[in-house]
Amino acid sequence: MKEILLLILGGVLANNYAFEKFLGVTPLLGYSRKENKLVALGLSVTVVMLLVAAIAYPVQAALANSGLDYLRLLVFVALVLLVVYVVELVVKGLMHQCLGVYFPLIALNSAVLGLALEAGAKGYSYGQTLAAALGVGLGFLVALLLMNGVQSRIEEKHIPAAFRGLPISLLAASIIAMVLVAFK
């Protein structure tokens, strides 16, 4: 149980994919300033990560057993797209709303694919894989909210013209990444 909690907490803080590995940073660098949209995106990514991790674990074992391990990347890309499409259908059926702009943001989120590939490479068990997926998904949500707060503070300050927009966002993200290194 301790190991599972450490994997979740590590995914949120020390091993945050958005800040440490810079996977899935596109939404961090200026997707939206509305907190409810950010929470919805973060929770959607968390659900997709959990589903992809739950399916990717047995798929990876099947690929390894059949000697088709070299197809892992291609299979996982298709798996991520399939899971996002199914989540879109479920959301549309239950809530009568579509994911809209979230669909490509989630489907093309490299953090989801990175988690599926890395969990197998680290030799996690099924429970550890799911815990890591939950931690990484919640870490992505925390990263979205942190960058939203930083962006709102940046907008209040005078920034030289050369640093406005993406350059100051990248600088802020790299400073947060350096702070998170202290949790290792």
Side-chain angles (χ1 to χ4, degrees), residues 132-183:
L134 179 62
V136 169
L138 293 176
F140 186 76
L141 174 62
V142 167
L144 283 172
L145 295 175
L146 268 173
M147 281 304 290
N148 185 41
V150 168
Q151 291 287 0
S152 65
R153 294 291 303 261
I154 287 173
E155 289 173 358
E156 298 171 358
K157 307 295 181 191
H158 172 71
I159 305 293
F163 288 107
R164 288 189 193 133
L166 185 61
I168 195 71
S169 295
L170 288 172
L171 284 171
S174 61
I175 290 170
I176 293 171
M178 288 189 294
V179 168
L180 291 177
V181 167
F183 288 110

Short mmCIF file of all heavy atoms in Angstrom, two decimals, residues 132-183:
data_model
loop_
_atom_site.label_atom_id
_atom_site.label_comp_id
_atom_site.label_asym_id
_atom_site.label_seq_id
_atom_site.Cartn_x
_atom_site.Cartn_y
_atom_site.Cartn_z
N ALA A 132 0.41 4.55 -10.93
CA ALA A 132 1.22 5.53 -11.66
C ALA A 132 0.34 6.35 -12.61
O ALA A 132 0.54 7.57 -12.74
CB ALA A 132 2.32 4.82 -12.43
N ALA A 133 -0.62 5.71 -13.25
CA ALA A 133 -1.53 6.43 -14.15
C ALA A 133 -2.35 7.46 -13.39
O ALA A 133 -2.53 8.59 -13.85
CB ALA A 133 -2.44 5.45 -14.87
N LEU A 134 -2.85 7.07 -12.23
CA LEU A 134 -3.62 8.02 -11.41
C LEU A 134 -2.74 9.18 -10.97
O LEU A 134 -3.14 10.34 -11.04
CB LEU A 134 -4.22 7.30 -10.20
CG LEU A 134 -5.03 8.17 -9.24
CD1 LEU A 134 -6.25 8.76 -9.95
CD2 LEU A 134 -5.44 7.37 -8.03
N GLY A 135 -1.52 8.88 -10.54
CA GLY A 135 -0.60 9.93 -10.11
C GLY A 135 -0.22 10.88 -11.23
O GLY A 135 -0.21 12.10 -11.06
N VAL A 136 0.05 10.32 -12.40
CA VAL A 136 0.42 11.16 -13.54
C VAL A 136 -0.76 12.01 -14.00
O VAL A 136 -0.61 13.18 -14.33
CB VAL A 136 0.98 10.30 -14.69
CG1 VAL A 136 1.13 11.10 -15.97
CG2 VAL A 136 2.31 9.69 -14.29
N GLY A 137 -1.95 11.43 -14.00
CA GLY A 137 -3.15 12.19 -14.37
C GLY A 137 -3.43 13.32 -13.40
O GLY A 137 -3.71 14.46 -13.82
N LEU A 138 -3.35 13.03 -12.11
CA LEU A 138 -3.55 14.09 -11.12
C LEU A 138 -2.42 15.11 -11.17
O LEU A 138 -2.64 16.30 -10.95
CB LEU A 138 -3.67 13.48 -9.72
CG LEU A 138 -4.92 12.63 -9.48
CD1 LEU A 138 -4.88 12.01 -8.09
CD2 LEU A 138 -6.18 13.45 -9.67
N GLY A 139 -1.21 14.64 -11.48
CA GLY A 139 -0.09 15.56 -11.65
C GLY A 139 -0.30 16.50 -12.82
O GLY A 139 0.06 17.69 -12.77
N PHE A 140 -0.92 15.98 -13.88
CA PHE A 140 -1.24 16.83 -15.03
C PHE A 140 -2.27 17.90 -14.64
O PHE A 140 -2.15 19.05 -15.02
CB PHE A 140 -1.76 15.98 -16.18
CG PHE A 140 -1.98 16.73 -17.45
CD1 PHE A 140 -0.91 17.10 -18.24
CD2 PHE A 140 -3.25 17.09 -17.85
CE1 PHE A 140 -1.10 17.81 -19.42
CE2 PHE A 140 -3.45 17.80 -19.01
CZ PHE A 140 -2.37 18.17 -19.80
N LEU A 141 -3.26 17.50 -13.86
CA LEU A 141 -4.27 18.45 -13.37
C LEU A 141 -3.61 19.52 -12.50
O LEU A 141 -3.89 20.71 -12.65
CB LEU A 141 -5.36 17.71 -12.59
CG LEU A 141 -6.41 18.57 -11.90
CD1 LEU A 141 -7.20 19.40 -12.90
CD2 LEU A 141 -7.35 17.69 -11.09
N VAL A 142 -2.73 19.12 -11.60
CA VAL A 142 -2.02 20.07 -10.74
C VAL A 142 -1.17 21.01 -11.58
O VAL A 142 -1.12 22.23 -11.34
CB VAL A 142 -1.16 19.33 -9.69
CG1 VAL A 142 -0.18 20.26 -9.00
CG2 VAL A 142 -2.06 18.64 -8.67
N ALA A 143 -0.51 20.47 -12.60
CA ALA A 143 0.32 21.31 -13.48
C ALA A 143 -0.53 22.33 -14.22
O ALA A 143 -0.13 23.50 -14.37
CB ALA A 143 1.07 20.43 -14.48
N LEU A 144 -1.71 21.92 -14.69
CA LEU A 144 -2.61 22.87 -15.36
C LEU A 144 -3.00 24.00 -14.43
O LEU A 144 -2.97 25.19 -14.81
CB LEU A 144 -3.88 22.16 -15.84
CG LEU A 144 -3.78 21.31 -17.10
CD1 LEU A 144 -5.07 20.53 -17.30
CD2 LEU A 144 -3.50 22.17 -18.31
N LEU A 145 -3.36 23.65 -13.20
CA LEU A 145 -3.79 24.68 -12.24
C LEU A 145 -2.63 25.57 -11.81
O LEU A 145 -2.80 26.79 -11.66
CB LEU A 145 -4.46 24.02 -11.04
CG LEU A 145 -5.76 23.28 -11.35
CD1 LEU A 145 -6.27 22.55 -10.12
CD2 LEU A 145 -6.81 24.23 -11.90
N LEU A 146 -1.44 24.98 -11.64
CA LEU A 146 -0.26 25.79 -11.29
C LEU A 146 0.08 26.79 -12.39
O LEU A 146 0.31 27.98 -12.12
CB LEU A 146 0.94 24.88 -11.08
CG LEU A 146 1.22 24.38 -9.68
CD1 LEU A 146 2.35 23.37 -9.70
CD2 LEU A 146 1.54 25.51 -8.75
N MET A 147 0.10 26.32 -13.62
CA MET A 147 0.43 27.22 -14.72
C MET A 147 -0.65 28.28 -14.92
O MET A 147 -0.34 29.40 -15.32
CB MET A 147 0.66 26.43 -16.02
CG MET A 147 2.02 25.79 -16.10
SD MET A 147 3.42 26.92 -15.92
CE MET A 147 3.31 27.84 -17.44
N ASN A 148 -1.90 27.94 -14.65
CA ASN A 148 -2.96 28.93 -14.73
C ASN A 148 -2.72 30.04 -13.72
O ASN A 148 -2.86 31.23 -14.03
CB ASN A 148 -4.33 28.28 -14.51
CG ASN A 148 -5.46 29.25 -14.71
OD1 ASN A 148 -5.43 30.06 -15.62
ND2 ASN A 148 -6.45 29.17 -13.85
N GLY A 149 -2.34 29.67 -12.50
CA GLY A 149 -2.04 30.67 -11.48
C GLY A 149 -0.84 31.52 -11.85
O GLY A 149 -0.84 32.74 -11.66
N VAL A 150 0.19 30.89 -12.37
CA VAL A 150 1.38 31.62 -12.78
C VAL A 150 1.06 32.57 -13.93
O VAL A 150 1.49 33.72 -13.94
CB VAL A 150 2.52 30.63 -13.16
CG1 VAL A 150 3.66 31.33 -13.86
CG2 VAL A 150 3.01 29.89 -11.94
N GLN A 151 0.28 32.08 -14.91
CA GLN A 151 -0.09 32.92 -16.06
C GLN A 151 -0.89 34.15 -15.61
O GLN A 151 -0.70 35.24 -16.14
CB GLN A 151 -0.89 32.12 -17.08
CG GLN A 151 -0.11 31.07 -17.79
CD GLN A 151 0.85 31.63 -18.82
OE1 GLN A 151 0.97 32.82 -19.03
NE2 GLN A 151 1.56 30.74 -19.47
N SER A 152 -1.79 33.95 -14.64
CA SER A 152 -2.57 35.11 -14.17
C SER A 152 -1.68 36.12 -13.47
O SER A 152 -1.90 37.33 -13.57
CB SER A 152 -3.71 34.65 -13.26
OG SER A 152 -3.19 34.08 -12.08
N ARG A 153 -0.66 35.64 -12.76
CA ARG A 153 0.28 36.57 -12.12
C ARG A 153 1.16 37.27 -13.15
O ARG A 153 1.49 38.45 -13.01
CB ARG A 153 1.17 35.82 -11.13
CG ARG A 153 0.48 35.24 -9.93
CD ARG A 153 -0.03 36.30 -8.97
NE ARG A 153 0.99 37.19 -8.50
CZ ARG A 153 1.61 37.11 -7.34
NH1 ARG A 153 1.31 36.14 -6.50
NH2 ARG A 153 2.53 37.98 -7.00
N ILE A 154 1.54 36.55 -14.20
CA ILE A 154 2.38 37.14 -15.25
C ILE A 154 1.62 38.25 -15.96
O ILE A 154 2.20 39.29 -16.30
CB ILE A 154 2.84 36.04 -16.24
CG1 ILE A 154 3.89 35.16 -15.60
CG2 ILE A 154 3.38 36.65 -17.53
CD1 ILE A 154 4.29 33.95 -16.42
N GLU A 155 0.33 38.06 -16.19
CA GLU A 155 -0.47 39.07 -16.89
C GLU A 155 -0.56 40.37 -16.12
O GLU A 155 -0.78 41.43 -16.71
CB GLU A 155 -1.86 38.52 -17.17
CG GLU A 155 -1.87 37.44 -18.22
CD GLU A 155 -3.22 36.77 -18.36
OE1 GLU A 155 -4.16 37.11 -17.62
OE2 GLU A 155 -3.34 35.89 -19.25
N GLU A 156 -0.40 40.32 -14.82
CA GLU A 156 -0.46 41.53 -13.99
C GLU A 156 0.83 42.33 -14.03
O GLU A 156 0.85 43.49 -13.66
CB GLU A 156 -0.74 41.15 -12.53
CG GLU A 156 -2.06 40.46 -12.32
CD GLU A 156 -2.21 39.92 -10.91
OE1 GLU A 156 -1.25 40.04 -10.12
OE2 GLU A 156 -3.27 39.37 -10.62
N LYS A 157 1.92 41.73 -14.44
CA LYS A 157 3.24 42.37 -14.41
C LYS A 157 3.63 42.91 -15.78
O LYS A 157 3.14 42.48 -16.79
CB LYS A 157 4.31 41.35 -13.96
CG LYS A 157 4.00 40.65 -12.67
CD LYS A 157 3.99 41.61 -11.52
CE LYS A 157 3.69 40.86 -10.23
NZ LYS A 157 3.41 41.73 -9.15
N HIS A 158 4.55 43.86 -15.73
CA HIS A 158 5.11 44.38 -16.98
C HIS A 158 6.21 43.42 -17.43
O HIS A 158 7.18 43.18 -16.72
CB HIS A 158 5.68 45.78 -16.79
CG HIS A 158 6.41 46.26 -18.00
ND1 HIS A 158 5.76 46.60 -19.16
CD2 HIS A 158 7.73 46.43 -18.24
CE1 HIS A 158 6.65 46.97 -20.07
NE2 HIS A 158 7.86 46.88 -19.52
N ILE A 159 6.03 42.87 -18.60
CA ILE A 159 7.00 41.93 -19.17
C ILE A 159 7.57 42.58 -20.43
O ILE A 159 6.82 43.12 -21.25
CB ILE A 159 6.31 40.60 -19.56
CG1 ILE A 159 5.56 40.00 -18.40
CG2 ILE A 159 7.30 39.62 -20.16
CD1 ILE A 159 6.43 39.52 -17.28
N PRO A 160 8.89 42.56 -20.60
CA PRO A 160 9.47 43.10 -21.83
C PRO A 160 8.88 42.40 -23.06
O PRO A 160 8.52 41.24 -23.03
CB PRO A 160 10.96 42.79 -21.70
CG PRO A 160 11.19 42.64 -20.24
CD PRO A 160 9.92 42.09 -19.68
N ALA A 161 8.78 43.13 -24.13
CA ALA A 161 8.12 42.64 -25.34
C ALA A 161 8.72 41.32 -25.85
O ALA A 161 8.01 40.46 -26.34
CB ALA A 161 8.18 43.70 -26.44
N ALA A 162 10.02 41.17 -25.72
CA ALA A 162 10.68 39.96 -26.22
C ALA A 162 10.28 38.70 -25.44
O ALA A 162 10.39 37.60 -25.95
CB ALA A 162 12.19 40.12 -26.17
N PHE A 163 9.82 38.89 -24.21
CA PHE A 163 9.49 37.74 -23.36
C PHE A 163 8.00 37.46 -23.27
O PHE A 163 7.60 36.48 -22.66
CB PHE A 163 10.03 37.94 -21.95
CG PHE A 163 11.52 37.82 -21.87
CD1 PHE A 163 12.29 38.94 -21.69
CD2 PHE A 163 12.13 36.59 -21.99
CE1 PHE A 163 13.67 38.83 -21.62
CE2 PHE A 163 13.50 36.47 -21.92
CZ PHE A 163 14.28 37.60 -21.73
N ARG A 164 7.16 38.29 -23.84
CA ARG A 164 5.72 38.10 -23.73
C ARG A 164 5.27 36.85 -24.47
O ARG A 164 5.82 36.48 -25.50
CB ARG A 164 4.97 39.32 -24.29
CG ARG A 164 5.10 40.51 -23.40
CD ARG A 164 4.20 41.64 -23.84
NE ARG A 164 4.63 42.83 -23.11
CZ ARG A 164 4.84 44.01 -23.64
NH1 ARG A 164 4.60 44.20 -24.92
NH2 ARG A 164 5.23 45.01 -22.90
N GLY A 165 4.23 36.22 -23.92
CA GLY A 165 3.65 35.04 -24.57
C GLY A 165 4.37 33.76 -24.22
O GLY A 165 4.60 33.45 -23.04
N LEU A 166 4.73 33.01 -25.24
CA LEU A 166 5.34 31.70 -25.04
C LEU A 166 6.68 31.74 -24.31
O LEU A 166 6.92 30.90 -23.43
CB LEU A 166 5.48 30.98 -26.38
CG LEU A 166 5.99 29.54 -26.32
CD1 LEU A 166 5.04 28.66 -25.52
CD2 LEU A 166 6.18 29.01 -27.72
N PRO A 167 7.59 32.69 -24.59
CA PRO A 167 8.88 32.67 -23.89
C PRO A 167 8.75 32.76 -22.37
O PRO A 167 9.39 32.00 -21.65
CB PRO A 167 9.62 33.88 -24.45
CG PRO A 167 9.03 34.09 -25.79
CD PRO A 167 7.59 33.71 -25.66
N ILE A 168 7.90 33.64 -21.87
CA ILE A 168 7.77 33.76 -20.41
C ILE A 168 7.06 32.54 -19.83
O ILE A 168 7.34 32.12 -18.71
CB ILE A 168 7.06 35.08 -20.02
CG1 ILE A 168 7.24 35.38 -18.53
CG2 ILE A 168 5.59 35.06 -20.36
CD1 ILE A 168 8.62 35.78 -18.16
N SER A 169 6.15 31.93 -20.61
CA SER A 169 5.49 30.71 -20.14
C SER A 169 6.49 29.57 -20.02
O SER A 169 6.44 28.80 -19.06
CB SER A 169 4.37 30.32 -21.10
OG SER A 169 3.36 31.29 -21.11
N LEU A 170 7.38 29.44 -20.99
CA LEU A 170 8.40 28.40 -20.93
C LEU A 170 9.37 28.64 -19.78
O LEU A 170 9.79 27.69 -19.10
CB LEU A 170 9.16 28.31 -22.25
CG LEU A 170 8.39 27.71 -23.42
CD1 LEU A 170 9.18 27.86 -24.71
CD2 LEU A 170 8.07 26.26 -23.15
N LEU A 171 9.73 29.89 -19.54
CA LEU A 171 10.60 30.21 -18.40
C LEU A 171 9.92 29.85 -17.09
O LEU A 171 10.53 29.27 -16.19
CB LEU A 171 10.98 31.68 -18.41
CG LEU A 171 12.04 32.10 -19.42
CD1 LEU A 171 12.17 33.61 -19.48
CD2 LEU A 171 13.36 31.49 -19.05
N ALA A 172 8.64 30.20 -16.96
CA ALA A 172 7.90 29.89 -15.74
C ALA A 172 7.79 28.38 -15.54
O ALA A 172 7.98 27.87 -14.42
CB ALA A 172 6.51 30.51 -15.79
N ALA A 173 7.51 27.64 -16.60
CA ALA A 173 7.41 26.19 -16.50
C ALA A 173 8.75 25.57 -16.11
O ALA A 173 8.80 24.63 -15.30
CB ALA A 173 6.93 25.59 -17.82
N SER A 174 9.84 26.10 -16.63
CA SER A 174 11.15 25.55 -16.29
C SER A 174 11.52 25.87 -14.84
O SER A 174 12.15 25.04 -14.17
CB SER A 174 12.23 26.04 -17.25
OG SER A 174 12.34 27.45 -17.19
N ILE A 175 11.11 27.01 -14.33
CA ILE A 175 11.37 27.33 -12.92
C ILE A 175 10.56 26.40 -12.01
O ILE A 175 11.07 25.90 -11.01
CB ILE A 175 11.05 28.81 -12.64
CG1 ILE A 175 12.10 29.69 -13.33
CG2 ILE A 175 11.02 29.09 -11.14
CD1 ILE A 175 11.78 31.17 -13.34
N ILE A 176 9.31 26.15 -12.37
CA ILE A 176 8.49 25.21 -11.59
C ILE A 176 9.12 23.82 -11.64
O ILE A 176 9.16 23.10 -10.64
CB ILE A 176 7.04 25.20 -12.10
CG1 ILE A 176 6.37 26.53 -11.81
CG2 ILE A 176 6.25 24.06 -11.45
CD1 ILE A 176 5.01 26.69 -12.46
N ALA A 177 9.63 23.44 -12.80
CA ALA A 177 10.28 22.13 -12.94
C ALA A 177 11.50 22.03 -12.02
O ALA A 177 11.72 20.99 -11.40
CB ALA A 177 10.68 21.89 -14.39
N MET A 178 12.27 23.10 -11.92
CA MET A 178 13.42 23.08 -11.03
C MET A 178 13.00 22.98 -9.57
O MET A 178 13.64 22.30 -8.77
CB MET A 178 14.29 24.32 -11.25
CG MET A 178 15.05 24.29 -12.54
SD MET A 178 16.28 25.60 -12.72
CE MET A 178 15.26 27.06 -12.80
N VAL A 179 11.89 23.60 -9.22
CA VAL A 179 11.39 23.52 -7.85
C VAL A 179 10.95 22.08 -7.54
O VAL A 179 11.20 21.55 -6.45
CB VAL A 179 10.22 24.50 -7.63
CG1 VAL A 179 9.49 24.24 -6.34
CG2 VAL A 179 10.72 25.94 -7.69
N LEU A 180 10.31 21.42 -8.50
CA LEU A 180 9.83 20.06 -8.28
C LEU A 180 10.95 19.04 -8.18
O LEU A 180 10.77 17.96 -7.64
CB LEU A 180 8.85 19.66 -9.39
CG LEU A 180 7.51 20.40 -9.35
CD1 LEU A 180 6.65 19.98 -10.54
CD2 LEU A 180 6.77 20.17 -8.06
N VAL A 181 12.13 19.40 -8.67
CA VAL A 181 13.29 18.51 -8.54
C VAL A 181 13.63 18.32 -7.06
O VAL A 181 14.14 17.28 -6.66
CB VAL A 181 14.49 19.06 -9.33
CG1 VAL A 181 15.79 18.35 -8.98
CG2 VAL A 181 14.22 18.97 -10.82
N ALA A 182 13.29 19.29 -6.22
CA ALA A 182 13.57 19.19 -4.80
C ALA A 182 12.81 18.05 -4.13
O ALA A 182 13.21 17.57 -3.07
CB ALA A 182 13.23 20.51 -4.11
N PHE A 183 11.72 17.58 -4.75
CA PHE A 183 10.94 16.49 -4.17
C PHE A 183 11.56 15.13 -4.44
O PHE A 183 11.07 14.12 -3.94
CB PHE A 183 9.51 16.51 -4.71
CG PHE A 183 8.70 17.64 -4.15
CD1 PHE A 183 8.32 18.71 -4.95
CD2 PHE A 183 8.30 17.64 -2.82
CE1 PHE A 183 7.59 19.75 -4.44
CE2 PHE A 183 7.57 18.67 -2.30
CZ PHE A 183 7.20 19.74 -3.11
#
